[in-house]
Amino acid sequence: HRDLHSFPTRRSSDLRRELKLEDNGDTDSEGNFTLEKVACLGCCTLAPVVQIDGRTFGKVNQQNVKQILKDFLSGKTLFQKHLNTKKEEKSDFGEIRLGLGSCCVASGSEDIKDTLDQILFETGIKANVKQVGCVGMCHQVPLLEFMPPNGNSILYTKVKPYDVKNIVLKHFTPPQLNKRLSYKLLSLLDYLYFSQKKSDPLSLNYSEKQISDFLDLQKHISTSNKGEINPIDIEEYLREDGFKALEKCLNDYKPGQVVDIILQSGLKGRGGAGFPTGKKWEAVQVEKSALKFVICNGDEGDPGAFMDRMLLESFPYRILEGMAIAAFATGATKGFLYIRAEYPVAVRRIKFAIQECYKKALLGQNILNSGFSFHLEIFEGAGAFVCGEETALIASMEGFRGIPRPRPPFPSSNGLFGYPTLINNVETMASVPWIIRNGSEAFSKIGIQGGAGTKVFALAGKIKRGGLIEVPMGITLSEIVEKIGGGIQGDNHFKAVQIGGPSGGCIPASLASTPVDFTHLNQIGAMMGSGGLVVLDHTDCMVDIARYFLSFTQEQSCGRCTYCRIGTRQMLVLLDKFCQGEALPGDLEKLETLAHLIKKGSLCGLGKTAPNPVLTSLKYFRFEYEAHLQGICPAKKCKALIKYIIQDDCIGCTKCAQDCPTGAILFNPYGVHAIDQKKCIKCNICLQVCPTGSVVITNANETKMTNHASYQD
């Protein structure tokens, strides 16, 4: 029996159909799989995503969902068997780097690793295969990077298992004569095969321009050395100045001096609120208590965000070092990493890293013979988004429901079990070692006034180059979308950015020159949030986007306060009416009034920010709401307001009929096909597979396509 976790998207329906689940059922008739919807699996650039017993699969669709389930049951796709704890050794053949983070694994990098190991064994090539963390370019995974002993590295992208042999033999020569001859012949045969197929796996290498476009505007602090070091090799982290900052604090500074450095750096909390980190540390430090706690908040769960997961998986020692420094500065002796259980790779790597730190006397009693002691452990969260709020997180750790409490008292004086507690998020902790090593002035000079340092973003959505990026504060949305992200996919047009997740706002392309920092984003009705940045194009319906994010926050509400519990539900009812074409005159005003009341009256940040996607989309895309009042979805996205039709230029190839999951299209070889509107579930598959573009979407009361651009004008 397998637990199958799915992010609630259209792919959930594909899974239900494949497993033949009834309306209220969750387990298939053979007892093999139980389907469970979860808030987020943290692999947004590879969405839709499904996780089976800890193994994550990306880019799931109607065509491959059956094969995924079949392969899993047959044992072909096994979960990552072990942590690569082997120490890297120097090799005359050079080094091969392979990312094995969650996004990489979901894209098939473990299959690449297995094939690579087999090829190296068969050829006798002694190249060092190095497991690295996130390289940031999630849009190009699986990645293989070749580091010759002398010369520049070469990067291969979107590698398939059948590419590996030719790539390896292009760079390395088998040491034995018989193997050189046999593999030379095999390479020639492969070359002939691929030239007939008009494809060459050796043309997969990413161009220097593409790499520079993606990296040039970035500044790496929390993500420094990304794609270069083995995440769990403590020796390599130490060689890269790891724990030098902690050592400097213990030897050269008093706790108050460390707090002053963080204050002067201008570092603000990267979890969303942007509260000055130094002030938080100072508030805990001045408390007189025999016991104090430090908690690293890794309860990331908002759609479009995967920064914390990537940092935890790729830089576990950096986060542990930041926590140890925070503990020294505030006088804490006990710490916890609160990580959501849906991040199994992050949990395993952090656990291993903690064990390694204890062995090196970097955690535990009398750290580095300094007299300072600090103990760390992991607390796995159950996936409640509200537990990202400090007081709800504390309640969860104490064994209660994750419900926020009124403040004051603040956690700095009355936190976990009533003791003074410092809570910072993952990225904040990861920034601390760099600040201590390089000084507060170096950090404060990065960014803009009032927004020092850098920010890590999860860049996802309708973007050419999605992934994990770290940029200086003050960079504009346009620079992120157009320069780093490479612009919008295909021939579509940049419409908006949803920044800050369900607590953030929808910012139109016309405001893309806005600098990204806490102040400027707040001025236009959005917020930085923890760092989710979802790019939208003209095919996205802003009413549907607002409904999606509000449905998430409404479901995640703890229910404690009336405004959030009932108010968000009433807003969602109204948004459903808009998307169903059932909204009445006056509903728009009701929706706006409710949003403002909930924002003012809710207890915690979840309720206060839940209306943001609605308010910003009303502010900048009001015409779309007004169109829905007339039963028209300008983006042709709301299912109740659209229909799929097949035009007269259909060539009768039958592909749409073959792939239609409900039999709404009857076979009519060489003839014009038609869609039975009563059976059509608007899954979009027929449009995707049609080779001639004969399948089009129209508004339900139309017979021909409407020009969206002219409507918007």
Side-chain angles (χ1 to χ4, degrees):
H1 184 87
R2 305 294 181 187
D3 287 325
L4 195 155
H5 295 167
S6 169
F7 185 76
T9 63
R10 179 181 293 151
R11 299 287 77 84
S12 300
S13 301
D14 295 339
L15 285 165
R16 296 191 71 84
R17 283 194 297 272
E18 187 60 39
L19 296 173
K20 297 180 174 59
L21 299 181
E22 300 296 333
D23 291 340
N24 296 321
D26 60 3
T27 303
D28 67 321
S29 58
E30 297 178 1
N32 287 327
F33 296 99
T34 293
L35 180 62
E36 177 187 354
K37 291 184 180 181
V38 296
C40 183
L41 292 172
C43 292
C44 308
T45 54
L46 297 175
V49 175
V50 170
Q51 188 180 91
I52 311 177
D53 284 6
R55 172 68 191 265
T56 305
F57 300 87
K59 302 293 184 184
V60 180
N61 55 48
Q62 172 68 25
Q63 286 75 29
N64 66 17
V65 79
K66 182 175 183 178
Q67 192 63 42
I68 286 173
L69 299 178
K70 182 180 178 182
D71 286 350
F72 191 92
L73 288 175
S74 69
K76 290 182 180 178
T77 52
L78 299 177
F79 182 66
Q80 191 171 0
K81 300 111 181 151
H82 54 78
L83 291 167
N84 181 14
T85 58
K86 180 182 177 182
K87 307 299 183 187
E88 276 77 25
E89 300 175 357
K90 290 186 178 180
S91 168
D92 293 337
F93 285 88
E95 185 174 85
I96 305 173
R97 295 174 179 172
L98 174 65
L100 285 174
S102 290
C103 283
C104 300
V105 172
S107 68
S109 61
E110 282 194 326
D111 295 333
I112 303 299
K113 174 69 165 58
D114 292 341
T115 306
L116 183 59
D117 288 342
Q118 181 181 349
I119 295 298
L120 295 178
F121 174 77
E122 291 176 354
T123 58
I125 295 171
K126 301 297 182 182
N128 177 39
V129 179
K130 182 178 184 179
Q131 173 184 321
V132 297
C134 173
V135 295
M137 294 186 287
C138 304
H139 59 289
Q140 292 292 333
V141 290
L143 290 163
L144 273 180
E145 184 175 12
F146 282 75
M147 304 290 296
N150 299 302
N152 298 325
S153 68
I154 300 174
L155 189 66
Y156 293 90
T157 64
K158 296 183 178 180
V159 178
K160 301 297 182 185
Y162 54 74
D163 300 322
V164 174
K165 180 171 59 180
N166 281 327
I167 295 175
V168 169
L169 294 175
K170 178 181 180 181
H171 295 279
F172 305 124
T173 302
Q176 297 179 18
L177 178 61
N178 61 329
K179 290 183 178 180
R180 284 202 297 272
L181 294 174
S182 61
Y183 274 91
K184 190 172 183 180
L185 176 61
L186 287 173
S187 295
L188 177 60
L189 293 174
D190 279 345
Y191 175 78
L192 294 173
Y193 171 79
F194 282 108
S195 47
Q196 289 177 349
K197 295 286 184 180
K198 296 183 179 179
S199 64
D200 180 6
L202 300 185
S203 66
L204 294 166
N205 50 303
Y206 215 37
S207 73
E208 289 185 12
K209 183 180 185 307
Q210 288 171 308
I211 295 174
S212 63
D213 287 346
F214 186 75
L215 296 177
D216 279 355
L217 293 180
Q218 295 193 47
K219 172 69 177 177
H220 301 295
I221 291 178
S222 296
T223 61
S224 59
N225 303 120
K226 70 175 184 178
E228 298 175 3
I229 61 175
N230 184 328
I232 59 172
D233 186 345
I234 193 169
E235 299 293 344
E236 187 169 20
Y237 182 68
L238 291 170
R239 289 195 297 270
E240 297 292 335
D241 292 333
F243 290 100
K244 288 289 178 63
L246 175 60
E247 187 177 2
K248 189 174 184 179
C249 289
L250 297 178
N251 294 334
D252 301 340
Y253 298 132
K254 294 180 179 179
Q257 292 175 302
V258 177
V259 173
D260 287 340
I261 291 172
I262 300 301
L263 271 170
Q264 293 164 13
S265 71
L267 174 66
K268 294 182 178 180
R270 298 308 196 236
F275 188 81
T277 302
K279 288 187 177 181
K280 224 178 194 185
W281 288 26
E282 188 176 48
V284 178
Q285 185 203 28
V286 299
E287 291 291 328
K288 304 298 182 183
S289 175
L291 180 61
K292 296 180 183 179
F293 295 105
V294 168
I295 298 175
C296 179
N297 185 352
D299 190 54
E300 178 180 63
D302 40 327
F306 50 91
M307 305 76 55
D308 289 352
R309 175 183 63 75
M310 291 287 212
L311 291 170
L312 288 164
E313 289 179 2
S314 301
F315 312 104
Y317 295 111
R318 185 170 298 154
I319 295 159
L320 299 184
E321 184 179 9
M323 291 186 70
I325 293 169
F328 172 75
T330 57
T333 55
K334 179 71 176 177
F336 296 91
L337 290 106
Y338 190 103
I339 306 174
R340 59 193 299 112
E342 287 91 343
Y343 288 176
V345 177
V347 170
R348 286 202 311 279
R349 289 185 182 173
I350 288 289
K351 282 183 178 178
F352 183 86
I354 290 175
Q355 293 172 359
E356 291 291 285
C357 287
Y358 271 99
K359 293 177 184 177
K360 295 281 187 181
L362 296 166
L363 287 176
Q365 289 294 124
N366 192 25
I367 295 174
L368 298 177
N369 296 315
S370 65
F372 168 64
S373 300
F374 182 57
H375 296 271
L376 261 179
E377 60 183 85
I378 290 176
F379 187 99
E380 293 188 48
F385 178 64
V386 72
C387 287
E389 197 277 340
E390 291 184 349
T391 59
L393 181 150
I394 288 171
S396 169
M397 293 184 67
E398 291 175 340
F400 302 104
R401 283 189 61 197
I403 295 179
R405 72 183 187 202
R407 293 179 290 181
F410 292 94
S412 57
S413 60
N414 187 2
L416 184 64
F417 304 118
Y419 292 100
T421 303
L422 172 69
I423 305 177
N424 285 132
N425 96 315
V426 171
E427 185 184 344
T428 309
M429 292 296 188
S431 302
V432 169
W434 192 96
I435 295 172
I436 299 298
R437 287 198 312 270
N438 296 277
S440 57
E441 186 178 356
F443 188 83
S444 63
K445 285 183 177 179
I446 301 170
I448 59 176
Q449 186 175 4
T454 60
K455 180 72 187 81
V456 179
F457 283 101
L459 183 60
K462 307 294 182 61
I463 195 80
K464 289 180 181 177
R465 295 193 288 262
L468 190 78
I469 64 172
E470 184 173 7
V471 293
M473 289 281 202
I475 191 173
T476 65
L477 290 170
S478 177
E479 288 175 309
I480 292 175
V481 174
E482 301 295 343
K483 294 184 179 180
I484 297 176
I488 304 300
Q489 295 173 351
D491 297 325
N492 294 337
H493 308 297
F494 178 28
K495 182 174 185 176
V497 166
Q498 169 66 23
I499 187 167
S503 301
C506 303
I507 306 305
S510 59
L511 293 177
S513 59
T514 302
V516 175
D517 74 331
F518 297 101
T519 303
H520 289 90
L521 290 177
N522 287 340
Q523 288 173 351
I524 58 176
M527 63 183 293
M528 185 113 64
S530 59
L533 201 159
V534 182
V535 181
L536 309 173
D537 66 19
H538 75 276
T539 66
D540 289 304
C541 170
M542 302 312 297
V543 182
D544 185 56
I545 291 291
R547 178 177 68 160
Y548 167 73
F549 281 106
L550 187 68
S551 68
F552 175 84
T553 47
Q554 189 275 325
E555 188 177 73
Q556 295 294 319
S557 171
C558 73
R560 178 165 188 167
C561 60
T562 305
Y563 282 98
C564 184
R565 181 181 70 251
I566 297 177
T568 55
R569 179 61 191 163
Q570 292 304 312
M571 284 182 67
L572 189 58
V573 168
L574 289 171
L575 286 171
D576 283 337
K577 289 174 67 177
F578 275 94
C579 292
Q580 293 293 327
E582 299 171 355
L584 302 173
D587 282 347
L588 199 54
E589 289 72 24
K590 287 180 184 178
L591 180 66
E592 198 162 15
T593 301
L594 267 173
H596 286 295
L597 288 172
I598 295 164
K599 194 173 180 68
K600 290 180 180 179
S602 295
L603 172 64
C604 81
L606 185 147
K608 289 182 181 296
T609 59
N612 283 352
V614 176
L615 288 171
T616 50
S617 59
L618 277 170
K619 181 178 181 179
Y620 301 116
F621 301 95
R622 196 179 190 91
F623 72 91
E624 292 201 28
Y625 285 87
E626 293 169 345
H628 281 71
L629 278 171
Q630 307 302 317
I632 297 173
C633 177
K636 298 182 178 65
K637 208 76 171 186
C638 296
K639 289 186 177 183
L641 305 182
I642 61 171
K643 63 182 178 182
Y644 287 71
I645 63 172
I646 301 177
Q647 299 186 124
D648 293 341
D649 58 353
C650 169
I651 60 175
C653 68
T654 75
K655 285 187 176 182
C656 58
Q658 293 178 53
D659 288 342
C660 179
T662 62
I665 307 174
L666 296 178
F667 281 91
N668 185 18
Y670 306 109
V672 176
H673 284 63
I675 299 175
D676 185 339
Q677 298 298 329
K678 293 181 179 180
K679 291 183 179 180
C680 179
I681 59 172
K682 298 161 187 175
C683 63
N684 205 50
I685 292 173
C686 56
L687 187 146
Q688 293 175 18
V689 302
C690 180
T692 59
S694 301
V695 180
V696 295
I697 307 173
T698 71
N699 282 297
N701 56 356
E702 301 175 26
T703 56
K704 295 182 180 180
M705 288 188 68
T706 304
N707 187 303
H708 169 59
S710 63
Y711 174 86
Q712 189 170 344
D713 293 341

